[in-house]
Structures are given as C-alpha cells and as structure tokens.
C-alpha cells in the first residue's frame, strides 16, 4: 500500500478558490494499492487562511516587509511531523510545504507558470523575481508538474535548470463524464435549434459584452437568428438582445453546468482573462464545438484551431465564428468530435489518473530507497 499525503486544506474558508479546492480531486487517485491522506491540521489551515486574508489588504501593502511576509505565508503551509507517519509520497498544489522534521520524503509539486499577460507582465524580464522564487521551490521538489505543455516550454525558455524535473500532467477532473461519439452524432443530427452556450460567473472578464454584441448583429439576420437558442449562465447583469431566443441562469453548480453542455452544440467563451480554463476541457468532453480566445493554453487545448475556433476578443471575430458554425452544421459536428477525441486521448480523468499513478509509483520507489 502506498500512502500519499495531499496538502489539501480541508477546512479552509477559501474553498471557492480553485487554487485551494482543486487539490481535493487527488482523492480520485485512490485504489486498492494507494491511499490518500489530506492535511487536516486546523492550525496549518488557520495560518494559511489568515495570511491569505491579510495579504489581500491594500492597507497592509504599504509596509513592504509585511507584504513580503504575508505573501510568503500565503503560499506556504506548515506540515507537522505527526501528519506524515507512514507516508510514502507528498503531493502539494499551489502551497509549498514547510516540513517541521528531518525525514526525507519524495515531493510532487503541482505547479503552474501562467502567461505573461495573465501575470500582468509585459516581458519575461519582469517575471525574474517570480522565477527566482519558483527555482527555490523546484529545487526542493522531486517532480514538478505543469498542466500545460506551453507553460513548460515557456518556463524552460527562461531557465532550463529543471527541464528534467518538470513534467506534463493534465488536471484531474473526476466529475467529468465524457459523452460518446454516438451521443454527439445524435445531438447534431436530431437538433431543432442550435444551442449556443456561454458560461461565466464574471461576465465582463469572460467576454460576455462582446458575445452579446455579436448576438445583436445576428438578430439583424432573421434566417440566422431563428436557428439558435442561446443559454447564458452568469452573475453579471446585462441587457437582453432583441429577437434572440434566450435562457438565462444564475451561477450553477458544476453538475448543472455540465448538463447544459451536454445539450449545447456550440460553447462560446471568448474570455479576456483566464489562467487555464477548466470549463473549456469540460466543453470538449461534452461534445461541443468550441469558440475560445486565441491565447495559451486554449490554443494548446484546441491544437491552434484544429479542433475548435480561436478568436480575438472582439465582436467581429466572435460574430464570424458564430455565423460559420451555425450555418455549417457538419463543420460544428466535426469540430465537436475532434475535441472529444482530443479530450479522451489527453485530458480524460482515466488517462490523467494513469499518468499520475505512474509518477507516484516511481516516487514511492524513491521513498523506499531513502529509508
């Protein structure tokens, strides 16, 4: 039996943050030969939550030394010796652990290196302090995983010290059940209307304004407008375009969103700002023809437009993409099938699980050698 400690703060009040809550999905790796143990230390959780709360205070940012201290504790977490009794491997996501003991345990650090644009930098030079901090983390890790190949390439282009340590492991999505090829065929062949879906709690950041502008233009073409049913899930208030059949929902739980995706023919999310975009992966698994922004890692998801339509965040490009997919149902179905095939070969939970288990088993063997 391999015992894996996952640094997931089970009692954190920041469960709405994917940076923190994502680690709970490692539980899906459990099988008869592997057991997952979570970080259930309330003290460790309290220190992390307090640091995150204080680090968000602009008032405290006036004090440079305090800002640095709070950032340190908001990205680190204490692991006490008694939590790691009989543990073979440690996995941590986002938080980097501080071990209060001398025993050496193999560490898998699930990390990220988002685009310069998302990080608010205009060049790689502006990110050197970030790279320096990551080098300290990665030097203490046995394996570092990124969930985008483009992130690996970018980081290694800046500093290739850890090129043999950084590997690609896709995100774990245990609640994503892909549709079958037959279901995609049936959805597109037996449609009455073409269902276009937009999902984004923060509509402004997700490109809702530009999407609505494109729909307003479509409304001037009745033969096109009458073909579509638009479904929007958002917390953002907006003016409803005229002459477009539309269903509007407040933010829904993930299960309900996936149900809407299974019914949708086109998933349109021309987001302005996303570090990764799990919702795009879910749309791929649901058999949707996807319209996404032309940025990494979405360009990676959709093979630079081979299995999805990539657009800039403006009305004209979104309009052209929508018209193209609505008017050419065979193209939409073809893109949906290509996206589903890519999901199954790279991003499906079963594929990702096997990739993780192989890495964990290798680390477990390392752990035995260290004893």
């Amino acid at each position: 039996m391999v015992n894996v400690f996952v640094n997931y703060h089970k009692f954190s009040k920041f469960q709405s943050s994917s940076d923190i809550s994502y680690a709970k999905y490692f539980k899906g790796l459990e099988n008869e030969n592997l057991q997952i143990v979570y970080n259930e230390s309330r003290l460790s959780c309290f220190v992390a939550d307090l640091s995150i709360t204080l680090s968000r205070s602009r008032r405290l940012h006036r004090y440079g030394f305090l800002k640095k201290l709070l950032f340190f504790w908001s990205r680190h977490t204490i692991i006490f010796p008694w939590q790691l009794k009989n543990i073979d491997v440690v996995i941590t996501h986002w938080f980097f652990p501080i071990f209060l003991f001398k025993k050496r345990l193999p560490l898998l650090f699930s990390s990220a290196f988002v685009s310069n644009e998302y990080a608010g930098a205009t060049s790689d030079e502006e990110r050197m302090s970030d790279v320096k901090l990551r080098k300290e983390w990665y030097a203490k890790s046995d394996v570092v995983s990124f969930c985008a190949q483009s992130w690996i390439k970018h980081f290694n282009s800046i500093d290739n010290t850890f090129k043999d340590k950084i590997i690609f492991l896709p995100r774990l999505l245990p609640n994503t059940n892909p549709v079958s090829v037959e279901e995609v065929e049936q959805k597109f062949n037996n449609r009455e209307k073409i269902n276009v879906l937009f999902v984004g709690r923060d509509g402004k950041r997700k490109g809702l304004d530009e999407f609505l502008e494109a729909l307003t233009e479509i409304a001037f073409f009745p033969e096109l407008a009458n073909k579509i049913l638009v479904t929007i899930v958002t917390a953002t208030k907006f003016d409803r375009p005229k002459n477009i059949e539309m269903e509007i929902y407040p933010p829904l739980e993930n299960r309900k969103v996936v149900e809407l995706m299974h019914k949708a023919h086109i998933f349109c999310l021309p987001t302005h700002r996303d570090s990764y975009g799990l919702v795009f992966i879910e749309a791929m698994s649901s058999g949707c023809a996807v319209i996404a922004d032309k940025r990494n890692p979405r360009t990676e998801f959709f093979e630079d437009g081979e299995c999805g339509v990539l657009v800039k965040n403006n009305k004209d490009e979104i309009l052209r993409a929508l018209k193209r997919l609505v008017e050419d149902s065979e193209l939409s179905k073809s893109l949906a099938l290509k996206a589903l095939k890519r999901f199954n070969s790279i991003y499906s939970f079963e594929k990702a699980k096997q990739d993780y288990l192989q890495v964990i088993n290798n680390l477990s063997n390392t752990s035995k050698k260290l004893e």
Side-chain angles (χ1 to χ4, degrees), residues 126-183:
E126 290 185 19
R127 301 190 67 181
M128 293 315 295
S129 59
D130 180 32
V131 170
K132 181 180 178 181
L133 178 60
R134 291 175 182 279
K135 288 175 67 174
E136 294 176 6
W137 290 339
Y138 299 166
K140 299 174 183 177
S141 306
D142 293 271
V143 176
V144 178
S145 69
F146 285 176
C147 56
Q149 296 278 12
S150 55
W151 291 353
I152 297 175
K153 183 177 180 180
H154 185 190
F155 187 86
N156 286 339
S157 71
I158 299 173
D159 189 302
N160 65 2
T161 306
F162 306 103
K163 64 180 180 180
D164 295 328
K165 190 179 283 189
I166 300 176
I167 65 170
F168 170 71
L169 285 176
R171 285 290 183 96
L172 287 167
L173 296 172
N175 300 323
T176 302
N177 297 313
V179 297
S180 65
V181 170
E182 291 74 22
E183 287 173 312

Side-chain angles (χ1 to χ4, degrees), residues 89 106 143 356-367 369:
V89 176
V143 176
Y356 272 97
L357 289 178
Q358 182 176 348
V359 173
I360 290 170
N361 285 330
N362 291 339
L363 290 176
S364 176
N365 292 332
T366 301
S367 179
K369 293 177 181 178

Side-chain angles (χ1 to χ4, degrees), residues 31-80:
N31 58 34
E32 65 276 7
N33 299 315
L34 185 145
Q35 182 176 359
I36 298 294
V37 179
Y38 283 148
N39 183 354
E40 297 189 1
S41 168
R42 292 185 182 272
L43 178 57
S44 178
C45 180
F46 172 77
V47 172
D49 279 4
L50 179 62
S51 301
I52 293 171
T53 301
L54 293 176
S55 67
R56 294 179 176 182
S57 171
R58 293 184 179 180
R59 183 180 301 175
L60 294 177
H61 285 186
R62 292 180 296 179
Y63 307 98
F65 74 95
L66 187 56
K67 180 180 178 180
K68 290 180 180 179
L69 182 64
L70 290 173
F71 175 78
F72 178 88
W73 282 113
S74 66
R75 290 303 307 270
H76 290 75
T77 187
I78 297 172
I79 309 296
F80 297 101

Side-chain angles (χ1 to χ4, degrees), residues 74 80 91 124 152 184 192 203 210 269 289:
S74 66
F80 297 101
I91 298 177
D124 290 342
I152 297 175
V184 177
E192 292 183 3
E210 292 79 7
L269 192 68

